[in-house]
Amino acid sequence: MAIDAPHPQPKLDEVAELAGVSRSVASRALNNAPHVSRAKREAVARAARQLGYVPNPTARALATRHTGAAALVIAGEDPSIFADPFFAQVIVGASAALEEADLHLMLCLAASDRGRKRVERLLLAKGADGAMLMALREDDPLVPMAERAKMPVVFGGRPVGPAPRWYVDVDNVGGAREATEYLVSRGRTRVAVICGRLDTEVGRARYRGYRDAMLAAGLDPFPPQEGDFTEASGAAAMAALLAEHPDLDGVFAANDNMGAGALRTLREAGRRVPDDVSVIGFDDLAVAELADPPLTTVHQPINALGREMARMLVALVNGQDPTPLILPTRLVTRSSA
């Protein structure tokens, strides 16, 4: 029985000939390079489809000096951070935007010295077309690494210190201020705060928003009771607050995990929510809706945060110069306040 010989793969020269353009124009059109007219791009695309031409990814990378990948670097301490609902939503949003640009997403954890060295090699050796950095702390070594990077870098959330050139963040100060103002409008005058880590800009910004609202209302802000954004830290912080301020009647928790922990401690202490103490969180994760009672919270567009970070990075890869972006927040009222 005769076996048909495999058909040879069409070559770029054939695509160019069928499209009526030069080989270099066909290459630039297929690689989305600039300075190719719309008519020629369409002609090349038609020819490629007609011939069944599939670009060689290795040749494309050499021609364009692109790797076809973008890195999302998380400066966390635990690999399970990628399963955190917050970061999971960021990843979904970033993946969708990168897929539109035909870029693959690389996930990197930069907690240990070894992990940071791997990220440094990635940044300095241009191991990706660009990188997105998140969860940075004060004096994080990733910040100077980003300044020396041989590729575009977008920050997800501002780091502590001078603002980088390109970042996407949410209105942390405004969201915290609105949450605290809502507690005050409900007659709460002894409003405590469980802030996030104060070696992060998000922790500091949400405390500033709380403090500004308290001062504007003529009330004394509580000192920051620090947590690490986990439910356990929220429960411990709430216990410490009750021991020191048993007459408190409101709590702003800087994320929903800590808010859920605070609700658990209040319930165990026999405090009724919201009758005795009103509680508001931040993020609008599933844990807020499932809490007992359901947690009033500040919604931030987490999926959009990931998506806009990736879009900003794609713009940089394509030679554009986007401006920083601050995404809005809004209050979501439930039974806890």
Side-chain angles (χ1 to χ4, degrees), residues 189-211:
T189 59
R190 297 279 295 163
V191 180
V193 59
I194 301 175
C195 62
R197 297 185 63 111
L198 292 176
D199 60 354
T200 65
E201 178 59 26
V202 63
R204 295 182 181 185
R206 291 180 188 176
Y207 180 73
R208 287 199 300 272
Y210 155 82
R211 183 196 59 202

Side-chain angles (χ1 to χ4, degrees), residues 255-267:
N255 84 334
D256 290 340
N257 291 330
M258 294 192 297
L263 289 176
R264 175 160 55 87
T265 294
L266 288 167
R267 185 166 58 249

Side-chain angles (χ1 to χ4, degrees), residues 55-297:
N56 183 303
T58 302
R60 171 180 280 187
L62 290 172
T64 63
R65 296 184 181 179
H66 288 177
T67 66
L72 175 60
V73 181
I74 309 291
E77 297 177 347
D78 184 349
S80 66
I81 195 170
F82 287 120
D84 182 290
F86 176 88
F87 288 105
Q89 289 191 43
V90 169
I91 291 169
V92 169
S95 297
L98 292 176
E99 185 176 351
E100 293 174 0
D102 200 22
L103 289 173
H104 296 290
L105 177 63
M106 301 167 53
L107 299 178
C108 305
L109 191 65
S112 65
D113 288 339
R114 183 178 180 183
R116 282 187 288 270
K117 287 177 182 176
R118 289 181 61 193
V119 170
E120 185 173 25
R121 289 195 297 271
L122 175 84
L123 296 174
L124 297 182
K126 203 179 185 300
D129 293 338
M132 299 166 283
L133 305 186
M134 294 194 73
L136 303 181
R137 298 180 183 172
E138 188 173 17
D139 300 325
D140 198 305
L142 288 179
V143 175
M145 286 183 200
E147 294 171 351
R148 302 193 305 272
K150 303 300 183 183
M151 65 177 75
V153 176
V154 172
F155 288 81
R158 282 184 51 180
V160 175
R165 186 170 179 182
W166 300 295
Y167 66 88
V168 180
D169 206 348
V170 300
D171 186 6
N172 291 301
V173 173
R177 183 190 304 117
E178 184 179 13
T180 309
E181 288 172 346
Y182 183 78
L183 289 169
V184 172
S185 74
R186 306 289 285 180
R188 307 300 174 171
T189 59
R190 297 279 295 163
V191 180
V193 59
I194 301 175
C195 62
R197 297 185 63 111
L198 292 176
D199 60 354
T200 65
E201 178 59 26
V202 63
R204 295 182 181 185
R206 291 180 188 176
Y207 180 73
R208 287 199 300 272
Y210 155 82
R211 183 196 59 202
D212 291 349
M214 292 291 284
L215 292 173
L219 301 173
D220 294 328
F222 280 49
Q225 185 69 45
E226 191 171 353
D228 63 3
F229 297 111
T230 64
E231 184 173 345
S233 73
M238 190 70 250
L241 284 169
L242 286 175
E244 189 170 354
H245 308 283
D247 59 342
L248 63 82
D249 59 9
V251 177
F252 166 60
N255 84 334
D256 290 340
N257 291 330
M258 294 192 297
L263 289 176
R264 175 160 55 87
T265 294
L266 288 167
R267 185 166 58 249
E268 292 170 352
R271 301 295 182 94
R272 296 170 301 164
V273 177
D275 296 350
D276 300 327
V277 182
S278 293
V279 182
I280 294 183
F282 200 117
D283 283 342
D284 198 18
L285 298 174
V287 66
E289 197 167 3
L290 297 174
D292 182 21
L295 187 64
T296 293
T297 187

